[in-house]
Amino acid sequence: MSNLVYLNRSKPVIRLFRSLTGALSIEIDQDSYSKISLVRCFPYTIPNKHISVKSDNGAELYTIDCLSQLSEESRFVAEEALRERYMIPRITRIVSIKKRGSHWSWSVDTEYGVTRLMMMNLHESIRQVAPGRWIVTDQDGRRFEFKQDESLDTNSRKQWSTIKFQ
């Protein structure tokens, strides 16, 4: 039997906050945990419901039924933490794609600035999620969205075509 506690309106003393070191923390009645993470449970189509609270070692501690049950301050902290966790920058331009030994090196522009992606197995790192849309995951687990559409510059299209069907 699981010790998981499902948080609802009958357990109103829930406080989410950032510690002095910036770690996400939670206080529930007299229990306090730091270095927690928030994870959306399925379905993702209801983003503010069924939020799992996990310890720093990944064990599930609690489930928050709905973010609207939290105080305004705690809800703000939770929404910010979830935005950070599920942020997937969009690649707006591919500057270069090069193979160096067994590694692939991508230099790209994203909506958040310039970055470099390193990948071991290129085709295991690129997953098509819809026609003309891919999720690219680098060797550090960072995810980026790439859309092949008419807004791409000529060089980006050329770079993409060199790897797409290899």
Side-chain angles (χ1 to χ4, degrees):
M1 187 74 161
S2 173
N3 292 333
L4 181 65
V5 177
Y6 194 75
L7 300 176
N8 57 35
R9 295 189 196 283
S10 67
K11 198 160 178 92
V13 186
I14 303 167
R15 182 174 163 250
L16 280 161
F17 61 98
R18 295 276 181 183
S19 70
L20 295 175
T21 62
L24 186 60
S25 303
I26 191 169
E27 289 176 352
I28 302 171
D29 291 335
Q30 280 71 40
D31 296 331
S32 181
Y33 302 91
S34 68
K35 297 181 182 175
I36 62 151
S37 60
L38 301 180
V39 179
R40 287 189 173 110
C41 300
F42 290 103
Y44 286 151
T45 55
I46 309 173
N48 294 327
K49 287 192 165 215
H50 314 298
I51 307 298
S52 175
V53 179
K54 297 195 177 231
S55 69
D56 61 345
N57 67 0
E60 189 164 35
L61 301 169
Y62 300 97
T63 301
I64 300 171
D65 181 42
C66 186
L67 293 182
S68 65
Q69 295 174 241
L70 301 174
S71 69
E72 186 176 334
E73 180 182 331
S74 290
R75 187 171 49 252
F76 176 80
V77 171
E79 288 169 347
E80 180 182 66
L82 289 166
R83 262 192 312 277
E84 288 172 6
R85 179 178 185 90
Y86 291 97
M87 179 185 85
I88 301 178
R90 189 171 54 85
I91 295 171
T92 56
R93 185 169 78 103
I94 301 173
V95 177
S96 67
I97 299 176
K98 296 179 182 170
K99 185 167 183 178
R100 295 187 176 131
S102 63
H103 286 81
W104 288 87
S105 174
W106 288 34
S107 179
V108 299
D109 289 345
T110 73
E111 58 201 339
Y112 295 101
V114 177
T115 193
R116 183 171 304 279
L117 289 73
M118 295 295 290
M119 292 168 261
M120 288 287 286
N121 186 326
L122 189 65
H123 293 290
E124 288 180 11
S125 300
I126 301 173
R127 183 174 48 93
Q128 188 169 14
V129 293
R133 189 170 155 243
W134 290 265
I135 297 296
V136 179
T137 307
D138 75 358
Q139 67 186 20
D140 294 324
R142 298 180 305 159
R143 297 175 302 159
F144 298 83
E145 177 184 14
F146 177 74
K147 281 180 137 179
Q148 185 182 19
D149 60 23
E150 56 279 345
S151 68
L152 283 176
D153 65 281
T154 305
N155 183 62
S156 296
R157 288 183 199 162
K158 180 181 174 189
Q159 294 295 322
W160 178 251
S161 71
T162 64
I163 59 97
K164 188 174 176 189
F165 300 105
Q166 283 186 358

